[in-house]
Amino acid sequence: MGSRLVVVGGGAAGMSAASAARRTDPALEIVVLEASGYAAYGLCGIPYYLAGSVTSADDLVAYPPTFFRDRRRIDLRLHTSVSHIDPERRHVTVSQDGHERRLGYGSLIVTTGGRPVRPPLPGLDDERVFTIRTLEDAISLRCLLDAGRVGSVLVVGGGYIGLEMAEALAERGAAVTVVEAENQVMPNLDSPVAALVEQEVRRRGVDLRLRTMLHGAERIGDQLAVRVGTQRLVVDAVVLATGVRAASSLAADVGAKTDDTGALLVDSAMRTSLPDVFAAGDCVAPHHRVLGRPAFVPLGPAANKMGRVAGIAAAGGSATFPGVVGTAVVKVFDLAVARTGLTLAEALAEGLPAVATDALGKSRAKYYPGSGPVHVRLVHTNDGRLLGAQVVGVGDGVAKRIDVVAVALQAGLSVADLVAADLSYAPPYAPVYEPVLLAAQAADALATQPDSPVAA
Ligand SMILES: Cc1cc2nc3c(=O)[nH]c(=O)nc-3n(C[C@H](O)[C@H](O)[C@H](O)COP(=O)(O)OP(=O)(O)OC[C@H]3O[C@@H](n4cnc5c(N)ncnc54)[C@H](O)[C@@H]3O)c2cc1C
């Protein structure tokens, strides 16, 4: 079995791993085992598929299975799940078409992704209660939407996936209620920034209920009666967006080390603590460059990069993954909402002497059509160490702006370095006083006058 590489999972990390392994070793036997009927598709495109702006589920598939089989000589097996790893005998137990058998490996890459959290509440096993983690989940919900059978929907969870779902369903004409247990939407933002997102969600007609829990659901004919807070609502469907955990049990159950969230721990070449078993993607807690320790930050670009490194390393090449800084952007109706590094709340929870500086700028020159507000929050220490940023505003420029800070964090730049950054300017793209630089100047002023009041 020495030369067979087995990859468990055909998502972003798994197919990147298999493709990188093929480039590294043209002779290696590579088998990818994928439980669902799809591989190599854009999970991140699901909200737009549900909204209808992406017409067909097939449009989300980056390459068809035949591409991997014929062009890359990767033996991709769909509807094939792995139920057990035997790290001593180096084989996995595979279920396909109701039959179980063993498949040996020389090296193994676990890319089993994330699993949605399902609250243990009555009635949530109903077919009208959806989690959105696979294309098959999305296809079932889209069928109901296309049949005109979702006039009202409850979204449970006001994180980024919950809000993406709220937007998609509202675009399909559904009356959307979102319940969120915390007192803000997007708990991974600082509350003043989350308040801007909340305003937008309410402005767009979503019935948003904060500090409100789902208690259960009950089927009534074609509908569901749900108990939320002290009220009872009747809706056509429920979407659970109550968080994601690493789907790590396959490797963790046979001894692979995990962090306290249950995500697999790996070295810089994506090796787990099991011999010749690598892991990549959402099932892993990679090194976080600002925290200086592993952290569970399940996002697409990191999954692809980790997969590539795992594939090269598992095929005998040399590659390392330097870690993440936790950069993400999401569209919430007309707002782009982005973060990188640590929020103020996260930095303080780490015991860092952090403060936050906020600046309000414009997306373009104020006289140029389409210019709108851009709010930037920089998180830093009083002596000028950059720790993170959040940016909320209109237009495509928000993603570009967070990426500037992400690169600054990765390079270990200070607030003063950011002030000096030579960023581009033209009226259609940015104001001459770029909002990120406005925030950096204000933060730098704090660092150079440390006794001045702290902007929190
Ligand atoms: C609705 C939605 C929107 C998102 N939007 C964004 C975004 O805009 N930006 C962003 O950065 N990230 C986004 N993400 C997160 C991003 O999609 C993930 O970080 C990324 O898909 C992780 O890739 P992965 O390969 O680790 O896991 P996955 O893509 O989940 O792939 C894991 C695969 O493993 C398979 N599998 C699991 N267990 C087994 C088993 N035992 N045997 C065989 N196969 C198995 C699963 O079927 C699955 O196909 C979004 C996620 C969702 C759900």
Side-chain angles (χ1 to χ4, degrees), residues 9 11-13 33-35 43-44 82 111-113 132-133 160 281-282 299-301:
L33 307 170
E34 166 54 48
L43 204 51
C44 313
V82 173
T111 65
T112 39
I132 303 295
R133 182 68 209 186
Y160 88 91
D282 284 3
L299 289 167

Side-chain angles (χ1 to χ4, degrees), residues 11-396:
M15 296 320 298
S16 294
S19 300
R22 167 57 67 235
R23 285 190 293 274
T24 305
D25 183 349
L28 186 64
E29 181 187 354
I30 303 172
V31 181
V32 178
L33 307 170
E34 166 54 48
S36 77
Y38 293 90
Y41 64 89
L43 204 51
C44 313
I46 284 178
Y48 313 103
Y49 165 64
L50 290 174
S53 45
V54 173
T55 316
S56 150
D58 290 338
D59 295 342
L60 297 181
V61 177
Y63 297 104
T66 47
F67 172 85
F68 292 102
R69 290 176 193 136
D70 301 343
R71 302 278 293 276
R72 297 200 174 151
R73 289 176 292 113
I74 292 168
D75 180 0
L76 168 60
R77 304 181 193 174
L78 301 178
H79 301 293
T80 307
S81 69
V82 173
S83 56
H84 182 68
I85 301 171
D86 187 332
E88 279 171 22
R89 296 182 185 82
R90 289 175 187 256
H91 61 68
V92 290
T93 306
V94 178
S95 309
Q96 192 182 22
D97 299 328
H99 300 291
E100 277 211 334
R101 53 194 187 78
R102 289 175 182 166
L103 181 69
Y105 64 81
S107 50
L108 179 71
I109 308 179
V110 177
T111 65
T112 39
R115 61 178 170 81
V117 173
R118 257 181 183 271
L121 295 170
L124 298 194
D125 51 358
D126 193 284
E127 61 181 20
R128 291 227 169 187
V129 177
F130 296 87
T131 52
I132 303 295
R133 182 68 209 186
T134 66
L135 199 47
E136 277 131 351
D137 297 335
I139 290 169
S140 312
L141 180 53
R142 168 96 183 237
C143 283
L144 273 190
L145 286 163
D146 288 351
R149 291 164 68 194
V150 185
S152 60
V153 62
L154 174 73
V155 176
V156 186
Y160 88 91
I161 291 185
L163 296 186
E164 282 188 336
M165 287 302 127
E167 178 178 346
L169 295 162
E171 278 188 20
R172 296 299 300 263
V176 181
T177 302
V178 176
V179 290
E180 164 57 53
E182 302 285 324
N183 61 1
Q184 66 172 68
V185 293
M186 296 194 69
N188 65 348
L189 298 177
D190 285 327
S191 51
V193 183
L196 302 171
V197 184
E198 180 185 333
Q199 270 173 25
E200 174 69 1
V201 172
R202 292 194 193 281
R203 186 179 77 81
R204 297 300 294 260
V206 172
D207 175 7
L208 172 64
R209 305 181 186 195
L210 300 176
R211 292 176 294 277
T212 304
M213 307 266 292
L214 171 70
H215 298 297
E218 188 190 344
R219 178 63 91 109
I220 304 177
D222 257 2
Q223 293 190 298
L224 289 166
V226 290
R227 282 174 290 123
V228 287
T230 55
Q231 287 191 317
R232 181 175 178 273
L233 302 178
V234 177
V235 292
D236 296 315
V238 171
V239 174
L240 297 175
T242 40
V244 64
R245 298 276 177 275
S248 56
S249 58
L250 200 57
D253 286 353
V254 291
K257 289 191 179 140
T258 61
D259 74 352
D260 55 8
T261 71
L264 296 169
L265 290 172
V266 290
D267 69 8
S268 60
M270 309 310 296
R271 278 189 198 89
T272 69
S273 58
L274 300 173
D276 295 313
V277 179
F278 299 72
D282 284 3
C283 59
V284 161
H287 177 68
H288 192 294
R289 296 170 72 121
V290 182
L291 290 170
R293 61 170 168 78
F296 178 58
V297 189
L299 289 167
N304 279 302
K305 292 186 188 102
M306 285 188 257
R308 180 177 164 275
V309 169
I312 294 171
S318 168
T320 54
F321 181 65
V324 296
V325 292
T327 310
V329 63
V330 59
K331 176 180 177 303
V332 181
F333 293 100
D334 289 343
L335 280 186
V337 182
R339 59 158 286 164
T340 190
L342 307 182
T343 62
L344 179 61
E346 289 164 353
L348 293 175
E350 282 296 308
L352 292 164
V355 293
T357 301
D358 293 279
L360 185 61
K362 292 272 183 198
S363 59
R364 299 168 165 175
K366 75 172 184 191
Y367 52 80
Y368 194 88
S371 178
V374 173
H375 182 114
V376 178
R377 163 168 282 220
L378 284 187
V379 179
H380 55 99
T381 60
N382 247 339
D383 61 0
R385 180 182 167 205
L386 191 59
L387 295 171
Q390 293 148 76
V391 183
V392 175
V394 295
D396 300 343

